[in-house]
Coordinates of all heavy atoms in Angstrom, one line a residue:
M191 N 3.7 10.6 -26.3 CA 2.3 10.9 -26.7 C 1.5 9.6 -26.7 O 2.0 8.5 -27.0 CB 2.3 11.6 -28.0 CG 1.0 12.1 -28.5 SD 0.3 13.4 -27.4 CE -1.4 13.4 -27.9
A192 N 0.3 9.7 -26.3 CA -0.6 8.6 -26.3 C -0.9 8.0 -27.7 O -1.0 8.8 -28.7 CB -1.9 9.0 -25.6
N193 N -1.0 6.7 -27.8 CA -1.3 6.1 -29.1 C -2.8 5.7 -29.2 O -3.3 5.7 -30.3 CB -0.5 4.8 -29.3 CG 1.0 5.2 -29.4 OD1 1.4 6.2 -29.9 ND2 1.8 4.3 -28.8
I194 N -3.4 5.4 -28.1 CA -4.8 4.9 -28.1 C -5.7 6.1 -28.3 O -5.5 7.2 -27.7 CB -5.1 4.1 -26.9 CG1 -4.2 2.9 -26.8 CG2 -6.6 3.7 -26.8 CD1 -4.2 2.2 -25.5
K195 N -6.8 5.9 -29.1 CA -7.7 7.0 -29.4 C -8.3 7.6 -28.2 O -8.4 8.8 -28.1 CB -8.8 6.4 -30.4 CG -9.6 7.5 -31.1 CD -10.5 6.8 -32.1 CE -11.3 7.9 -32.9 NZ -12.2 7.3 -33.8
S196 N -8.8 6.8 -27.2 CA -9.4 7.3 -26.0 C -8.4 8.1 -25.2 O -8.7 9.1 -24.5 CB -10.0 6.2 -25.2 OG -9.0 5.3 -24.8
A197 N -7.1 7.6 -25.2 CA -6.1 8.3 -24.4 C -5.8 9.7 -25.0 O -5.5 10.7 -24.3 CB -4.8 7.5 -24.3
I198 N -5.8 9.7 -26.4 CA -5.6 11.0 -27.1 C -6.7 12.0 -26.7 O -6.4 13.2 -26.4 CB -5.5 10.8 -28.6 CG1 -4.2 10.0 -29.0 CG2 -5.6 12.1 -29.4 CD1 -4.2 9.5 -30.4
K199 N -7.9 11.5 -26.7 CA -9.1 12.3 -26.3 C -8.9 12.8 -24.9 O -9.2 14.0 -24.6 CB -10.4 11.6 -26.5 CG -11.6 12.5 -26.2 CD -12.9 11.8 -26.4 CE -14.0 12.7 -26.0 NZ -15.3 12.1 -26.2
R200 N -8.5 11.9 -24.0 CA -8.4 12.3 -22.6 C -7.4 13.5 -22.4 O -7.6 14.4 -21.7 CB -7.9 11.1 -21.7 CG -8.9 10.0 -21.5 CD -10.1 10.3 -20.7 NE -10.3 11.5 -20.0 CZ -11.5 12.1 -19.9 NH1 -12.5 11.8 -20.6 NH2 -11.6 13.2 -19.2
V201 N -6.3 13.4 -23.2 CA -5.3 14.5 -23.1 C -5.9 15.8 -23.6 O -5.7 16.8 -22.9 CB -4.0 14.1 -24.0 CG1 -3.1 15.3 -24.2 CG2 -3.3 12.9 -23.4
K202 N -6.7 15.8 -24.7 CA -7.3 17.0 -25.2 C -8.3 17.5 -24.2 O -8.3 18.7 -23.9 CB -8.1 16.7 -26.5 CG -7.2 16.6 -27.7 CD -8.2 16.4 -28.9 CE -7.4 16.2 -30.2 NZ -8.3 15.9 -31.3
V203 N -9.1 16.6 -23.6 CA -10.2 17.1 -22.6 C -9.5 17.6 -21.4 O -9.9 18.7 -20.9 CB -11.1 15.9 -22.3 CG1 -12.0 16.2 -21.1 CG2 -11.9 15.5 -23.5
N204 N -8.5 17.0 -20.9 CA -7.8 17.4 -19.7 C -7.2 18.8 -19.9 O -7.2 19.7 -19.0 CB -6.7 16.4 -19.3 CG -7.3 15.2 -18.7 OD1 -8.4 15.2 -18.2 ND2 -6.5 14.1 -18.6
R205 N -6.6 19.0 -21.1 CA -6.0 20.3 -21.4 C -7.1 21.4 -21.4 O -6.9 22.5 -20.9 CB -5.3 20.2 -22.8 CG -4.2 21.3 -23.0 CD -3.5 21.1 -24.2 NE -2.5 20.0 -24.1 CZ -2.2 19.2 -25.1 NH1 -2.7 19.3 -26.3 NH2 -1.3 18.2 -24.9
T206 N -8.2 21.1 -22.0 CA -9.3 22.1 -22.1 C -9.8 22.4 -20.7 O -10.0 23.6 -20.3 CB -10.5 21.5 -22.9 OG1 -10.0 21.1 -24.2 CG2 -11.6 22.5 -23.1
K207 N -10.1 21.4 -19.9 CA -10.6 21.5 -18.5 C -9.6 22.3 -17.7 O -10.0 23.1 -16.8 CB -11.0 20.2 -17.9 CG -12.3 19.6 -18.5 CD -12.7 18.4 -17.8 CE -14.1 18.0 -18.3 NZ -14.6 16.8 -17.6
A208 N -8.3 22.0 -17.8 CA -7.3 22.7 -17.0 C -7.3 24.2 -17.3 O -7.2 25.0 -16.4 CB -5.9 22.1 -17.3
A209 N -7.4 24.5 -18.6 CA -7.5 25.9 -19.0 C -8.7 26.6 -18.4 O -8.6 27.7 -17.9 CB -7.5 26.0 -20.5
A210 N -9.8 25.9 -18.4 CA -11.1 26.5 -17.9 C -10.9 26.7 -16.4 O -11.3 27.8 -15.8 CB -12.3 25.6 -18.2
N211 N -10.4 25.7 -15.7 CA -10.2 25.8 -14.2 C -9.2 26.9 -13.9 O -9.4 27.6 -12.9 CB -9.7 24.5 -13.7 CG -10.7 23.4 -13.6 OD1 -11.9 23.7 -13.6 ND2 -10.3 22.1 -13.6
K212 N -8.2 27.1 -14.7 CA -7.2 28.1 -14.4 C -7.8 29.5 -14.5 O -7.6 30.4 -13.7 CB -6.0 28.0 -15.4 CG -4.9 28.9 -15.0 CD -3.6 28.6 -15.9 CE -2.5 29.5 -15.4 NZ -1.3 29.2 -16.1
A213 N -8.7 29.7 -15.5 CA -9.4 30.9 -15.7 C -10.3 31.2 -14.6 O -10.4 32.3 -14.1 CB -10.1 30.9 -17.0
R214 N -11.1 30.2 -14.2 CA -12.0 30.4 -13.1 C -11.3 30.7 -11.8 O -11.7 31.5 -11.0 CB -12.8 29.1 -12.9 CG -13.9 28.9 -13.9 CD -14.9 27.8 -13.5 NE -15.8 27.5 -14.6 CZ -15.8 26.5 -15.3 NH1 -14.8 25.6 -15.1 NH2 -16.6 26.3 -16.3
K215 N -10.2 30.0 -11.5 CA -9.4 30.2 -10.2 C -8.8 31.6 -10.2 O -8.9 32.3 -9.2 CB -8.3 29.2 -10.1 CG -8.7 28.0 -9.3 CD -7.5 27.1 -8.9 CE -7.9 26.1 -8.0 NZ -6.8 25.2 -7.6
S216 N -8.3 32.0 -11.4 CA -7.8 33.4 -11.5 C -8.8 34.4 -11.3 O -8.6 35.4 -10.5 CB -7.2 33.5 -12.9 OG -6.7 34.9 -13.1
N217 N -10.0 34.2 -11.8 CA -11.1 35.2 -11.7 C -11.5 35.2 -10.2 O -11.8 36.3 -9.6 CB -12.3 34.8 -12.6 CG -13.4 35.8 -12.5 OD1 -14.4 35.5 -11.8 ND2 -13.3 36.9 -13.2
L218 N -11.6 34.1 -9.6 CA -12.0 34.0 -8.1 C -11.0 34.8 -7.3 O -11.4 35.6 -6.4 CB -12.0 32.5 -7.7 CG -12.3 32.3 -6.2 CD1 -13.7 32.7 -5.9 CD2 -12.1 30.8 -5.9
K219 N -9.7 34.6 -7.5 CA -8.7 35.3 -6.7 C -8.8 36.8 -6.9 O -8.7 37.6 -6.0 CB -7.3 34.8 -7.2 CG -6.9 33.5 -6.7 CD -5.5 33.1 -7.2 CE -5.2 31.6 -6.9 NZ -3.9 31.2 -7.4
T220 N -9.1 37.2 -8.2 CA -9.2 38.7 -8.5 C -10.4 39.2 -7.7 O -10.3 40.3 -7.1 CB -9.4 38.9 -10.0 OG1 -8.3 38.3 -10.7 CG2 -9.5 40.3 -10.3
V221 N -11.5 38.5 -7.7 CA -12.7 39.0 -7.0 C -12.5 39.1 -5.5 O -12.9 40.0 -4.9 CB -13.9 38.1 -7.4 CG1 -15.1 38.4 -6.5 CG2 -14.3 38.3 -8.8
L222 N -11.8 38.1 -5.0 CA -11.5 38.1 -3.5 C -10.6 39.3 -3.2 O -10.8 39.9 -2.1 CB -10.9 36.8 -3.1 CG -11.8 35.5 -3.1 CD1 -11.0 34.3 -2.8 CD2 -12.9 35.7 -2.1
K223 N -9.6 39.5 -4.0 CA -8.7 40.7 -3.7 C -9.5 42.0 -3.8 O -9.3 42.8 -2.9 CB -7.6 40.7 -4.8 CG -6.5 39.7 -4.5 CD -5.4 39.8 -5.6 CE -4.4 38.7 -5.5 NZ -3.4 38.7 -6.6
K224 N -10.4 42.1 -4.8 CA -11.2 43.3 -4.9 C -12.1 43.5 -3.6 O -12.2 44.6 -3.1 CB -12.0 43.3 -6.1 CG -11.3 43.6 -7.4 CD -12.2 43.6 -8.6 CE -11.5 43.9 -9.9 NZ -12.4 43.8 -11.1
A225 N -12.7 42.4 -3.2 CA -13.5 42.5 -2.0 C -12.7 42.9 -0.8 O -13.2 43.7 0.0 CB -14.2 41.2 -1.8
N226 N -11.5 42.3 -0.6 CA -10.7 42.6 0.6 C -10.2 44.1 0.5 O -10.3 44.8 1.5 CB -9.5 41.7 0.6 CG -9.8 40.3 1.1 OD1 -10.7 40.2 1.9 ND2 -9.2 39.3 0.6
L227 N -9.9 44.6 -0.7 CA -9.5 46.0 -0.8 C -10.6 46.9 -0.5 O -10.4 47.9 0.1 CB -9.0 46.2 -2.2 CG -7.5 45.9 -2.5 CD1 -7.1 46.1 -3.9 CD2 -6.6 46.8 -1.6
A228 N -11.8 46.6 -1.0 CA -13.0 47.4 -0.7 C -13.3 47.5 0.7 O -13.6 48.6 1.2 CB -14.2 46.8 -1.5
V229 N -13.1 46.4 1.5 CA -13.4 46.5 2.9 C -12.3 47.3 3.6 O -12.5 48.1 4.5 CB -13.5 45.0 3.5 CG1 -13.5 45.1 5.0 CG2 -14.7 44.3 3.0
E230 N -11.0 47.0 3.2 CA -9.9 47.7 3.9 C -10.0 49.3 3.7 O -9.7 50.0 4.6 CB -8.6 47.2 3.3 CG -8.1 45.9 3.8 CD -6.9 45.3 3.2 OE1 -6.1 46.1 2.6 OE2 -6.7 44.1 3.2
N231 N -10.4 49.7 2.5 CA -10.4 51.1 2.1 C -11.8 51.7 2.5 O -12.0 52.9 2.2 CB -10.2 51.3 0.6 CG -8.8 50.9 0.3 OD1 -7.9 50.8 1.1 ND2 -8.6 50.5 -1.0
N232 N -12.7 50.9 3.1 CA -14.0 51.3 3.4 C -14.7 52.0 2.3 O -15.3 53.0 2.4 CB -13.9 52.3 4.6 CG -15.3 52.3 5.4 OD1 -16.1 51.4 5.2 ND2 -15.4 53.3 6.2
A233 N -14.7 51.3 1.1 CA -15.3 51.8 -0.1 C -16.8 51.8 0.0 O -17.4 51.1 0.8 CB -14.8 51.0 -1.3
A234 N -17.4 52.6 -0.8 CA -18.9 52.8 -0.8 C -19.5 51.5 -1.3 O -20.6 51.1 -0.9 CB -19.3 53.9 -1.7
D235 N -18.9 50.7 -2.2 CA -19.4 49.5 -2.8 C -18.9 48.2 -2.1 O -19.0 47.2 -2.7 CB -19.2 49.5 -4.3 CG -17.7 49.3 -4.6 OD1 -16.9 49.8 -3.7 OD2 -17.4 48.8 -5.7
K236 N -18.5 48.3 -0.9 CA -18.0 47.2 -0.2 C -19.0 46.0 0.0 O -18.7 44.9 -0.2 CB -17.3 47.5 1.1 CG -18.2 48.0 2.2 CD -17.4 48.3 3.5 CE -18.3 48.8 4.6 NZ -17.6 49.2 5.8
N237 N -20.3 46.4 0.2 CA -21.3 45.4 0.4 C -21.5 44.6 -0.9 O -21.6 43.4 -0.9 CB -22.6 46.0 0.8 CG -22.7 46.5 2.2 OD1 -22.0 45.9 3.0 ND2 -23.5 47.5 2.5
E238 N -21.5 45.3 -2.0 CA -21.7 44.7 -3.3 C -20.5 43.8 -3.7 O -20.6 42.7 -4.2 CB -21.8 45.8 -4.4 CG -22.2 45.3 -5.8 CD -23.5 44.5 -5.9 OE1 -24.4 44.9 -5.1 OE2 -23.6 43.6 -6.6
A239 N -19.2 44.3 -3.4 CA -18.0 43.5 -3.6 C -18.0 42.2 -2.8 O -17.7 41.2 -3.4 CB -16.8 44.4 -3.3
I240 N -18.4 42.3 -1.6 CA -18.5 41.1 -0.8 C -19.6 40.1 -1.3 O -19.3 38.9 -1.4 CB -18.8 41.4 0.7 CG1 -17.7 42.2 1.3 CG2 -19.1 40.2 1.5 CD1 -16.4 41.5 1.6
K241 N -20.7 40.7 -1.7 CA -21.8 39.8 -2.3 C -21.3 39.1 -3.5 O -21.6 37.9 -3.7 CB -23.0 40.8 -2.6 CG -24.2 40.1 -2.9 CD -25.4 41.1 -3.1 CE -26.6 40.4 -3.7 NZ -27.6 41.4 -4.0
V242 N -20.6 39.8 -4.4 CA -20.1 39.2 -5.6 C -19.1 38.1 -5.3 O -19.1 37.0 -5.9 CB -19.5 40.3 -6.5 CG1 -18.7 39.6 -7.7 CG2 -20.6 41.2 -7.1
A243 N -18.2 38.4 -4.3 CA -17.1 37.5 -3.9 C -17.7 36.2 -3.4 O -17.3 35.1 -3.7 CB -16.2 38.1 -2.9
I244 N -18.8 36.3 -2.5 CA -19.4 35.2 -1.9 C -20.1 34.3 -3.0 O -20.0 33.1 -3.0 CB -20.4 35.6 -0.8 CG1 -19.6 36.0 0.4 CG2 -21.4 34.4 -0.5 CD1 -20.5 36.6 1.5
K245 N -20.7 35.0 -4.0 CA -21.3 34.3 -5.1 C -20.3 33.5 -5.9 O -20.5 32.3 -6.2 CB -22.0 35.2 -6.0 CG -22.8 34.6 -7.1 CD -23.6 35.6 -8.0 CE -24.3 34.8 -9.1 NZ -25.0 35.8 -10.0
R246 N -19.1 34.1 -6.2 CA -18.1 33.4 -6.9 C -17.5 32.2 -6.1 O -17.1 31.2 -6.7 CB -17.0 34.4 -7.3 CG -17.3 35.4 -8.4 CD -17.5 34.6 -9.7 NE -18.3 35.4 -10.6 CZ -17.9 36.3 -11.4 NH1 -16.6 36.6 -11.5 NH2 -18.8 36.9 -12.2
V247 N -17.4 32.4 -4.8 CA -16.9 31.3 -4.0 C -17.9 30.1 -4.1 O -17.5 29.0 -4.2 CB -16.7 31.7 -2.5 CG1 -16.5 30.6 -1.6 CG2 -15.5 32.7 -2.4
D248 N -19.2 30.4 -4.0 CA -20.2 29.3 -4.1 C -20.1 28.7 -5.5 O -20.2 27.4 -5.6 CB -21.6 29.9 -4.0 CG -21.9 30.2 -2.5 OD1 -21.4 29.5 -1.6 OD2 -22.8 31.0 -2.2
Q249 N -19.9 29.4 -6.5 CA -19.8 28.9 -7.9 C -18.5 28.0 -8.0 O -18.6 26.9 -8.6 CB -19.7 30.0 -8.9 CG -21.1 30.7 -9.1 CD -21.0 31.9 -10.1 OE1 -19.9 32.4 -10.3 NE2 -22.1 32.3 -10.6
A250 N -17.4 28.4 -7.4 CA -16.2 27.6 -7.5 C -16.4 26.3 -6.7 O -15.9 25.3 -7.2 CB -15.1 28.4 -6.8
C251 N -17.1 26.4 -5.6 CA -17.4 25.2 -4.8 C -18.3 24.2 -5.6 O -18.0 23.0 -5.7 CB -18.1 25.6 -3.5 SG -18.4 24.2 -2.4
A252 N -19.3 24.8 -6.3 CA -20.2 23.9 -7.1 C -19.4 23.3 -8.3 O -19.8 22.1 -8.7 CB -21.3 24.8 -7.6
K253 N -18.5 24.0 -8.8 CA -17.7 23.4 -10.0 C -16.6 22.5 -9.6 O -15.9 21.9 -10.4 CB -17.1 24.6 -10.8 CG -18.1 25.4 -11.6 CD -18.6 24.7 -12.8 CE -19.5 25.5 -13.6 NZ -20.1 24.8 -14.7
G254 N -16.4 22.4 -8.3 CA -15.3 21.5 -7.8 C -13.9 22.1 -7.7 O -13.0 21.4 -7.5
L255 N -13.9 23.4 -7.8 CA -12.6 24.1 -7.7 C -12.1 24.2 -6.3 O -10.9 24.4 -6.1 CB -12.7 25.5 -8.4 CG -12.7 25.6 -9.9 CD1 -12.9 27.0 -10.3 CD2 -11.5 25.0 -10.5
M256 N -13.1 24.2 -5.4 CA -12.8 24.5 -4.0 C -13.6 23.5 -3.2 O -14.7 23.2 -3.5 CB -13.2 25.9 -3.7 CG -12.9 26.4 -2.4 SD -13.5 28.1 -2.2 CE -12.3 29.1 -2.9
H257 N -13.0 23.0 -2.1 CA -13.7 22.1 -1.2 C -14.8 22.9 -0.4 O -14.6 24.1 -0.2 CB -12.7 21.5 -0.1 CG -13.3 20.4 0.7 ND1 -13.9 20.7 1.8 CD2 -13.2 19.1 0.5 CE1 -14.3 19.5 2.3 NE2 -13.9 18.5 1.5
K258 N -15.9 22.2 -0.1 CA -17.0 22.9 0.5 C -16.6 23.6 1.8 O -17.1 24.7 2.1 CB -18.2 22.0 0.7 CG -18.0 20.9 1.7 CD -19.3 20.1 1.9 CE -19.1 19.1 3.0 NZ -20.3 18.5 3.4
N259 N -15.7 23.0 2.6 CA -15.3 23.6 3.9 C -14.4 24.8 3.6 O -14.5 25.8 4.4 CB -14.6 22.6 4.8 CG -15.5 21.5 5.3 OD1 -16.7 21.5 5.1 ND2 -14.9 20.5 5.9
A260 N -13.6 24.8 2.6 CA -12.7 25.9 2.3 C -13.6 27.1 1.8 O -13.4 28.2 2.2 CB -11.8 25.5 1.2
A261 N -14.7 26.7 1.0 CA -15.6 27.8 0.6 C -16.3 28.4 1.8 O -16.5 29.6 1.8 CB -16.6 27.2 -0.4
A262 N -16.8 27.6 2.7 CA -17.5 28.1 3.9 C -16.5 29.0 4.7 O -17.0 30.0 5.2 CB -18.0 26.9 4.7
R263 N -15.3 28.6 4.8 CA -14.3 29.4 5.5 C -14.1 30.7 4.9 O -14.1 31.8 5.6 CB -13.0 28.6 5.6 CG -11.9 29.2 6.5 CD -10.7 28.4 6.7 NE -10.0 28.2 5.5 CZ -9.9 27.0 4.9 NH1 -10.4 25.9 5.4 NH2 -9.2 26.9 3.7
K264 N -13.9 30.7 3.6 CA -13.7 32.0 2.8 C -14.9 32.9 3.0 O -14.8 34.1 3.3 CB -13.5 31.8 1.3 CG -12.2 31.3 0.9 CD -11.2 32.4 0.9 CE -9.8 31.9 0.5 NZ -8.8 32.7 0.9
K265 N -16.1 32.4 2.9 CA -17.4 33.2 3.0 C -17.5 33.7 4.5 O -17.8 34.9 4.6 CB -18.6 32.3 2.7 CG -18.7 32.0 1.2 CD -19.6 30.9 0.9 CE -21.0 30.9 1.6 NZ -21.8 29.8 1.1
S266 N -17.1 32.9 5.4 CA -17.1 33.4 6.8 C -16.1 34.5 7.1 O -16.5 35.5 7.7 CB -16.8 32.2 7.7 OG -16.7 32.6 9.1
Q267 N -14.9 34.4 6.5 CA -13.9 35.4 6.6 C -14.4 36.7 6.0 O -14.2 37.8 6.6 CB -12.6 35.0 6.0 CG -11.9 33.9 6.7 CD -10.7 33.3 5.9 OE1 -10.6 33.5 4.7 NE2 -9.9 32.5 6.6
L268 N -15.0 36.6 4.8 CA -15.5 37.8 4.2 C -16.6 38.5 5.0 O -16.6 39.7 5.2 CB -16.0 37.5 2.8 CG -15.0 37.1 1.7 CD1 -15.7 36.5 0.5 CD2 -14.2 38.3 1.3
A269 N -17.5 37.7 5.5 CA -18.6 38.3 6.3 C -18.1 38.9 7.6 O -18.5 40.0 8.0 CB -19.6 37.2 6.7
K270 N -17.1 38.3 8.2 CA -16.5 38.8 9.4 C -15.8 40.1 9.2 O -15.9 41.1 9.9 CB -15.5 37.8 9.9 CG -14.9 38.0 11.3 CD -14.0 36.9 11.7 CE -13.4 37.2 13.1 NZ -12.4 36.1 13.4
K271 N -15.1 40.2 8.0 CA -14.4 41.5 7.7 C -15.4 42.6 7.4 O -15.2 43.7 7.8 CB -13.6 41.3 6.4 CG -12.2 40.7 6.7 CD -11.4 40.6 5.4 CE -10.1 39.8 5.7 NZ -9.4 39.5 4.4
L272 N -16.5 42.2 6.8 CA -17.6 43.2 6.5 C -18.2 43.8 7.7 O -18.5 45.0 7.9 CB -18.6 42.6 5.5 CG -19.7 43.5 5.1 CD1 -19.2 44.7 4.2 CD2 -20.8 42.8 4.3
N273 N -18.5 42.9 8.7 CA -19.2 43.2 9.9 C -18.3 43.9 11.0 O -18.8 44.5 11.9 CB -19.9 42.0 10.5 CG -21.0 41.5 9.6 OD1 -21.6 42.3 8.9 ND2 -21.2 40.2 9.7
A274 N -17.0 43.8 10.8 CA -16.0 44.3 11.8 C -16.0 45.8 11.8 O -16.3 46.5 10.8 CB -14.6 43.8 11.5

């Protein structure tokens, strides 16, 4: 365990941020799965599901959870599935 006060704080902050990132990533995966299922099943709310998924991908990119190119790729894949 860290002895220096700043190192102790870093451990606490890192633990807190890791938990928040894990929750955000989990939520993002859930939303993406729901969007993919909506498109596959041709659900009535597929447009809304894709719209929510794209918004969450943008938020993940803004928070640094996802690289901007990865976010662009995910959004492109979602749009492609919707238009197919």
Side-chain angles (χ1 to χ4, degrees):
M191 184 65 193
N193 295 327
I194 298 167
K195 196 173 184 182
S196 61
I198 292 169
K199 182 178 179 182
R200 292 291 352 136
V201 169
K202 281 185 186 176
V203 169
N204 287 341
R205 201 173 286 146
T206 305
K207 287 188 176 185
N211 285 340
K212 188 171 185 177
R214 283 194 189 105
K215 269 193 170 176
S216 176
N217 183 261
L218 176 66
K219 287 178 187 177
T220 303
V221 169
L222 289 173
K223 282 180 189 174
K224 282 183 182 177
N226 284 328
L227 275 174
V229 171
E230 284 174 19
N231 298 333
N232 203 15
D235 65 334
K236 67 181 178 181
N237 287 333
E238 187 62 32
I240 295 290
K241 190 176 170 184
V242 169
I244 287 175
K245 183 177 180 181
R246 287 293 157 87
V247 168
D248 282 335
Q249 287 174 340
C251 182
K253 289 286 183 184
L255 286 178
M256 184 184 277
H257 191 273
K258 65 176 187 167
N259 291 354
R263 187 174 64 245
K264 283 281 182 205
K265 287 163 46 176
S266 174
Q267 287 170 347
L268 287 168
K270 191 176 176 183
K271 281 181 185 175
L272 181 63
N273 295 330

